[in-house]
Amino acid sequence: MIATRMKNLHPYVPGEQPKDRDYIKLNANENPYPPSPAVAKAICQAVQAHPEKLGLYPDPDSNELKEAIATMLNETGGVLCRASVQDGKAAPAREDKIPFTVTPDMIYCGNGSDEVLSFVFYAFFDSDRALVLPEHTYSFYPVYAGFYQIPLDKVPLKNDWTLDREKMLSDANKTNASIIFANPNAPTGLALTRNEIRAMIKSAPKDRIFVVDEAYVDFGGESAIPLLAEFKNLVVVRTFSKSLCGAGQRLGYIVSSPELVNHVTTVKNSLNHFPIDYLAQTAGIAACKDAPYYVECAKKVASERDSFISFLQEHGWFVIDSKTNFVFAKKDGIGGEETYKKIKEAGILVRHFSTPGIEEFLRITIGTGEQMARLCDVMKNL
Ligand SMILES: *Cc1c(COP(=O)(O)O)cnc(C)c1O
């Protein structure tokens, strides 16, 4: 009864969303802060003032949302935690300023960056050669590779948990293949600088797409968006789920050349013509118009993260340097799974992966100051 292609599916297992108890949720890298009050207001207004719009199809191309995203990127430089706010307006840090204007035709938006990534896989990766990626990176990439039957070349991380860029490039050049990774990477939290990414793209195959997933860049990485001026084969993937406090809204996007955006749009129009519902578009537009709010949230998260890293180090943990809204840490003599269970018993959920090579680690999402204080109390007594 089941199609043979079903055997290639290896579904992703998301962080738990338990209902049995009110846990502090530090297991799915969600933002602990609610969206800007302007978002709730825009949704209420849309429902109250134009309920008839819920009965109509939404704008299939999310044009107003694309405009709002482009404006926000230009206003913040695409790295919220370093942007500044003055007189209710955000401005990019000098090093983040994008040396051109991002225009709406450089944006494609979809129903969460997971859907956007799926369309990117479909549009740009062929099954005749192995897509190059780090062994430990966002675990949805192998899921899509199975779905679209794209072979993978998983390159092990180096001993210091950084990407083995030399090996990734030499493999990609051997077969003329595409490269994908998250920057900052997940679940390690480590980031490459823009210069390191530039050097990588320069040495990668020119006629193959190079994908950088910037889900976490707003918490302290360097965006690759400025590199779009130099490289026609670069696709930058971003999401509202982490730094824009919008995981429940399911919004993600790519920034690339208009030509590549058109290819992804062709996939969308062949598969899911209206990927973003009216309320999500409304919410996304309102969020982008209140960049200062999200700048403050990102700064708070980054500062909690740095305090938490100091706490862990003082208590004998090994912590990988993080430019994200989570930390990846382990401690000699206590097992990852066992520690995860003890923390769960105390009412706090963190993430443990049983993947070989990283099974001693815990991935802990940065919450509010209050949540982190509770967690520190629990971890002190482990
Ligand atoms: C969370 C995450 C995503 C998915 O984001 P959604 O927009 O919620 O689908 C994509 N890539 C990475 C690396 C992530 O951590």
Side-chain angles (χ1 to χ4, degrees):
M1 281 198 290
I2 300 161
T4 45
R5 67 172 81 87
M6 287 289 285
K7 71 178 189 311
N8 297 310
L9 300 189
H10 312 284
Y12 179 75
V13 183
E16 307 162 77
Q17 308 278 358
K19 303 267 178 294
D20 61 316
R21 176 176 172 182
D22 237 352
Y23 288 100
I24 293 179
K25 265 193 101 262
L26 304 177
N27 68 333
N29 295 345
E30 293 143 317
N31 201 302
Y33 301 105
S36 152
V39 170
K41 203 169 140 198
I43 294 176
C44 290
Q45 255 177 11
V47 172
Q48 281 164 1
H50 298 288
E52 76 284 357
K53 287 210 180 169
L54 290 167
L56 305 175
Y57 285 110
D59 173 3
D61 292 311
S62 314
N63 285 308
E64 200 181 335
L65 178 57
K66 286 181 184 176
E67 249 168 66
I69 292 170
T71 304
M72 176 192 60
L73 291 174
N74 293 319
E75 192 182 330
T76 61
V79 186
L80 290 172
C81 92
R82 269 198 303 273
S84 59
V85 176
Q86 227 174 19
D87 305 326
K89 263 197 85 66
R94 187 160 8 113
E95 65 268 35
D96 295 322
K97 199 170 173 343
I98 303 171
F100 54 88
T101 302
V102 178
T103 49
D105 60 354
M106 299 172 68
I107 314 266
Y108 170 86
C109 359
N111 187 5
S113 67
D114 286 338
E115 185 201 59
V116 171
L117 279 163
S118 139
F119 291 176
V120 164
F121 270 63
Y122 189 90
F124 302 122
F125 304 150
D126 250 314
S127 44
D128 66 345
R129 69 200 73 197
L131 169 66
V132 175
L133 76 175
E135 178 185 0
H136 299 295
T137 186
Y138 186 38
S139 43
F140 227 121
Y141 308 147
V143 175
Y144 289 136
F147 190 89
Y148 294 120
Q149 304 191 32
I150 297 155
L152 291 181
D153 174 3
K154 293 186 181 181
V155 178
L157 298 179
K158 299 213 270 201
N159 284 338
D160 61 0
W161 303 99
T162 57
L163 305 192
D164 191 342
R165 288 175 278 154
E166 296 73 18
K167 174 91 167 78
M168 287 172 71
L169 286 167
S170 72
D171 282 11
N173 281 311
K174 244 178 246 158
T175 53
N176 199 30
S178 279
I179 295 178
I180 186 170
F181 57 89
N183 189 54
N185 197 20
T188 61
L190 284 171
L192 294 176
T193 65
R194 182 152 54 241
N195 278 335
E196 288 168 331
I197 301 236
R198 177 188 280 113
M200 251 185 119
I201 306 177
K202 265 192 181 154
S203 311
K206 301 249 166 322
D207 55 349
R208 293 284 148 186
I209 299 301
F210 192 108
V211 181
V212 182
D213 181 346
E214 295 191 339
Y216 299 107
V217 76
D218 276 317
F219 300 106
E222 291 182 17
S223 178
I225 291 175
L227 301 177
L228 289 167
E230 296 164 54
F231 303 105
K232 292 275 163 275
N233 59 335
L234 171 62
V235 171
V236 179
V237 180
R238 304 183 51 124
T239 176
F240 279 59
S241 296
K242 314 286 162 56
S243 55
L244 293 177
C245 314
Q249 292 156 31
R250 310 307 304 128
L251 287 170
Y253 59 97
I254 67 168
V255 194
S256 70
S257 71
E259 193 193 333
L260 299 184
V261 165
N262 283 341
H263 291 305
V264 180
T265 306
T266 300
V267 178
K268 171 196 76 113
N269 287 338
S270 314
L271 202 61
N272 185 9
H273 189 42
F274 297 108
I276 311 183
D277 67 80
Y278 166 59
L279 290 181
Q281 291 193 38
T282 303
I285 293 162
C288 292
K289 287 185 175 165
D290 193 6
Y293 173 87
Y294 297 98
V295 168
E296 294 309 326
C297 289
K299 285 184 194 295
K300 281 192 275 189
V301 168
S303 128
E304 284 301 334
R305 173 196 64 212
D306 294 342
S307 316
F308 185 55
I309 290 177
S310 305
F311 165 87
L312 288 173
Q313 286 169 339
E314 280 159 23
H315 288 80
W317 286 71
F318 168 76
V319 193
I320 300 180
D321 184 33
S322 170
K323 293 271 191 284
T324 65
N325 68 338
F326 61 84
V327 298
F328 203 49
K330 65 175 178 175
K331 186 170 177 175
D332 279 345
I334 61 174
E337 177 153 23
E338 206 180 311
T339 312
Y340 150 82
K341 281 186 182 148
K342 281 190 186 143
I343 296 175
K344 183 171 176 180
E345 274 162 28
I348 303 175
L349 282 180
V350 299
R351 189 92 198 255
H352 171 255
F353 299 92
S354 39
T355 319
I358 56 171
E359 65 273 68
E360 284 174 40
F361 282 87
L362 293 180
R363 192 197 68 186
I364 304 169
T365 305
I366 302 303
T368 62
E370 210 174 298
Q371 292 173 328
M372 298 317 285
R374 282 272 305 277
L375 176 66
C376 290
D377 263 348
V378 172
M379 292 183 80
K380 257 182 224 157
N381 301 317
L382 285 174

